[in-house]
Amino acid sequence: MTPHDTPDTHLPQLTVAQADRLRALTADHLAARHGIRPAVTADTAEHDGRRYPLVNLARWCRDTPEESWPDLVRQHFARLESASRGGEDAQHLLSHTFPRLLPDDALPAEATNFGYVRPVAEELIAALALDTPESVRILDDHDVARAGLDALWDAARANLLAEPVEHTRVTGPNGAVLHSVYGDSHFVASKALVLPELVRAVTGADLPEAGALVVVPTRHLLAFHPVVDGSVVDAVNDLGAYALGAYEDGPGSLTPRMYWWHQGRLVCVTAVDHDTRALSVVPPPELLDLIRSLRKAGPAASAPAGPDAASAPAGPAGPERLGQAVTELTGRLAHDPSLFPAALDTAVAHAHARCADDPDASALETWEAWVTATQIGGALFTTVLADEGTVDCRIGERTHTLPATGPASHAGPRAWLDAFWLALVCRESDRARTLARVPLKELRRASPESDDYLFHWIDTLQSYVGGTPVNDIVPKLLATIETSHPDVATRTPADFLNLVDYQPVALFHRLIRRQEDVFAETLTEALAHHARHYEGSTDPRAHVALGPLAMACLAHDSGFTVDTASPHLPKHLVERSWYGEFDT
């Protein structure tokens, strides 16, 4: 091989010849700009005490014709040198600072003015970064002193929680479901510092007690796999390959390592051979024992679906496998109530997946799947409402004796809505009334970062089921509508909020006002919005518009004429054709 086709050792995105040219262009540019030739080493340029890594620049050069490289180099360093250089007042720092994950060698070894920086995990540190329209600048000790270290970390964490991201589920080559979180923000990977809150925000469920595998290959990307079943074995391989590919592609590469989030900390599970640059997975003994026990327990259908499962492929798990997973998970609830989110999400996926081959829900097996999902949702909140002892809950053909948990972090507003929609679809009025007794304050406590409209909406539905007069329900509904505006509900992805989450609200408004014709028009629009949001998705939730279906069932039982020929609205669920077939 020649320098023209051999990858450079330190900048492997480029060939040896290309990397040498980039280093020369960098040296020439900085020398011309400052009159002093910088020191340019393997992957870094240093000038006047500042260190300029070349890795990201190399990635951009890889995708740019070589004749444009001089301009690219000029633009790159102009951006860096126009970055904020300090002097901001305390309030500005508190409003615009975020925690920033960095490789542990990102700061110059000789630097002495970053004493506040915290170690996070092997190869990772957390610094504070000021986000400005032109650049992102790592704060030094002098900057931090102007606002106060503790105050600045607290404000940065709050800013990070509010930073919007995108979320999708992807299925790896071995079938493991991975949750990918991404966006243009420089602080997407930093969300690993608040992983429990992130998982709850994007999936609607809490992290299981066993934690999650997580990777942060670039600053714009984080991916995780909740550890709930035997699929963790496949996830180790799929997530590792996913991380390595994203790390090599960039931009903003961070680390190809994999970590285990467990009990509030990140534990590295990847070993690196620095001579061969090869990666291997070396789980700590505790994780290895956990993987073995989950593998023996068998596979389940994995992780939470969550509010924007719109883009989530269902993967290879069909209705039969999902049904088996529901049985396996429910069988373990008596010993591990933290599996309730996975059990409910899997049961909902199973019910929806049945409608892929049976869109009218004309088969008894389809109705059975919906009833089972309803039972699991009801059981979750029955255990929450009981403070001590055990409760007996029928799920499928068995009565399960489950431990009373009292208020639980896994019983949040998203799980409540799923359970409520299922109760309406299956006409389980007793379960709906049980759900109406769940204290709103406990739902807030379980998911404090959720937008307010969710709680106003649940308050509205609880009041309706509880028999509150319509005139007293209307102010609650108006509060829901007002707080669900995208300018107010900034923590919920706008596409999901408008096309999915708001549609049952609009339908309920027409229902309680007895506007049958307008309800029919709104239902048609809601189903069209559902189809638009889930276009191209293979996620089971794409098959049925759950919230609009629940409203259609309410409308049908109220004497409205409902067009059951519409897609995503199973006819026999609306018309309760199988109601009473099973002892629930």
Side-chain angles (χ1 to χ4, degrees):
M1 299 181 73
T2 70
H4 294 283
D5 52 22
T6 303
D8 186 81
T9 302
H10 301 284
L11 299 174
Q13 306 84 359
L14 304 177
T15 65
V16 171
Q18 290 173 328
D20 287 343
R21 180 167 186 243
L22 175 59
R23 295 181 187 107
L25 287 171
T26 298
D28 290 346
H29 169 78
L30 292 175
R33 189 174 182 87
H34 301 291
I36 301 174
R37 196 160 188 85
V40 180
T41 58
D43 59 1
T44 305
E46 294 188 26
H47 171 73
D48 194 24
R50 297 191 68 182
R51 185 169 177 264
Y52 302 97
L54 300 179
V55 175
N56 288 335
L57 182 56
R59 287 192 175 90
W60 293 325
C61 286
R62 177 192 60 186
D63 300 324
T64 303
E66 286 198 41
E67 59 268 21
S68 300
W69 285 14
D71 289 337
L72 189 64
V73 169
R74 282 193 294 271
Q75 293 165 9
H76 175 72
F77 285 101
R79 282 194 300 269
L80 292 179
E81 293 177 13
S82 68
S84 165
R85 290 180 177 270
E88 301 85 2
D89 61 30
Q91 188 54 51
H92 185 84
L93 289 172
L94 292 170
S95 299
H96 300 283
T97 294
F98 292 78
R100 176 81 181 269
L101 276 184
L102 295 170
D104 59 6
D105 61 352
L107 300 175
E110 67 277 8
T112 59
N113 56 338
F114 296 97
Y116 73 90
V117 171
R118 299 174 175 178
V120 172
E122 191 169 350
E123 269 198 3
L124 287 180
I125 58 174
L128 293 168
L130 182 66
D131 189 23
T132 73
E134 297 81 22
S135 66
V136 175
R137 178 172 68 85
I138 303 301
L139 301 183
D140 61 22
D141 291 336
H142 299 294
D143 299 314
V144 171
R146 291 200 300 279
L149 180 60
D150 291 340
L152 202 51
W153 275 115
D154 289 345
R157 186 179 192 278
N159 294 337
L160 181 65
L161 287 172
E163 185 75 349
V165 293
E166 299 291 332
H167 166 243
T168 188
R169 287 168 68 206
V170 296
T171 302
N174 296 298
V177 174
L178 314 178
H179 291 260
S180 176
V181 179
Y182 56 94
D184 294 332
S185 168
H186 280 57
F187 308 105
V188 176
S190 301
K191 293 268 189 176
L193 298 170
V194 290
L195 191 67
E197 292 87 347
L198 172 68
V199 171
R200 192 182 303 128
V202 301
T203 71
D206 287 294
L207 272 176
E209 185 178 351
L213 298 176
V214 60
V215 295
V216 284
T218 80
R219 65 190 179 214
H220 302 293
L221 177 64
L222 177 154
F224 64 88
H225 173 86
V227 180
V228 295
D229 56 47
S231 66
V232 64
V233 176
D234 297 322
V236 167
N237 296 319
D238 289 348
L239 200 58
Y242 187 76
L244 183 58
Y247 174 78
E248 291 176 344
D249 288 342
S253 293
L254 190 51
T255 176
R257 290 179 181 264
M258 186 189 312
Y259 300 89
W260 178 32
W261 175 277
H262 187 232
Q263 298 180 345
R265 64 193 185 100
L266 287 170
V267 179
C268 185
V269 299
T270 303
V272 179
D273 185 326
H274 292 284
D275 293 330
T276 64
R277 301 172 66 90
L279 302 177
S280 60
V281 176
V282 184
E286 187 179 2
L287 177 58
L288 193 58
D289 291 343
L290 180 61
I291 289 173
R292 287 169 178 161
S293 65
L294 290 172
R295 192 62 168 172
K296 289 178 182 178
S302 101
D308 55 353
S311 5
E320 296 302 328
R321 179 179 168 188
L322 287 168
Q324 293 170 2
V326 171
T327 301
E328 291 167 0
L329 284 167
T330 54
R332 295 161 60 190
L333 292 175
H335 303 289
D336 188 359
S338 70
L339 290 176
F340 254 121
L344 178 58
D345 290 326
T346 305
V348 172
H350 180 220
H352 283 66
R354 284 285 177 190
C355 293
D357 298 325
D358 182 23
D360 288 337
S362 59
L364 183 61
E365 293 82 2
T366 301
W367 176 248
E368 184 178 20
W370 282 84
V371 169
T372 300
T374 304
Q375 292 170 322
I376 293 173
L380 191 165
F381 286 96
T382 297
T383 62
V384 165
L385 288 169
D387 291 326
E388 59 184 19
T390 59
V391 293
D392 291 336
C393 298
R394 187 181 180 90
I395 301 176
E397 298 179 352
R398 288 182 53 196
T399 297
H400 297 253
T401 300
L402 304 174
T405 65
S409 61
H410 61 253
R414 290 290 173 192
W416 190 96
L417 281 174
D418 272 348
F420 188 76
W421 297 148
L422 291 164
L424 294 185
V425 171
C426 291
R427 275 52 168 210
E428 292 286 331
S429 55
D430 286 345
R431 283 192 171 86
R433 283 190 288 269
T434 296
L435 289 164
R437 293 169 37 221
V438 177
L440 205 61
K441 67 177 182 180
E442 300 300 343
L443 295 175
R444 284 186 179 274
R445 187 175 300 169
S447 185
E449 78 289 343
S450 292
D451 283 310
D452 280 346
Y453 78 90
L454 273 175
F455 304 105
H456 287 300
W457 181 215
I458 291 172
D459 187 23
T460 302
L461 296 171
Q462 289 184 330
S463 299
Y464 176 79
V465 171
T468 301
V470 170
N471 287 343
D472 294 331
I473 292 175
V474 168
K476 299 175 185 286
L477 179 61
L478 291 176
T480 304
I481 294 171
E482 290 169 358
T483 55
S484 63
H485 191 282
D487 290 345
V488 179
T490 56
R491 295 181 177 179
T492 305
D495 183 69
F496 174 79
L497 173 59
N498 292 328
L499 300 181
V500 177
D501 233 13
Y502 181 74
Q503 299 311 309
V505 179
L507 288 164
F508 184 76
H509 182 204
R510 303 308 176 187
L511 177 64
I512 64 172
R513 295 188 64 181
R514 304 296 302 173
Q515 297 174 322
E516 184 172 353
D517 290 344
V518 183
F519 179 92
E521 294 173 1
T522 305
L523 179 59
T524 299
E525 292 175 359
L527 297 173
H529 288 320
H530 175 89
R532 175 183 166 191
H533 185 71
Y534 284 83
E535 184 178 5
S537 172
T538 56
D539 187 270
R541 289 187 182 236
H543 301 303
V544 178
L546 182 55
L549 169 63
M551 290 296 129
C553 291
L554 270 183
H556 175 274
D557 296 352
S558 299
F560 283 21
T561 299
V562 177
D563 180 9
T564 56
S566 301
H568 312 297
L569 201 67
K571 173 183 177 180
H572 293 286
L573 295 183
V574 174
E575 297 180 355
R576 57 183 181 186
S577 303
W578 290 106
Y579 178 72
E581 189 69 27
F582 296 105
D583 181 5
T584 61

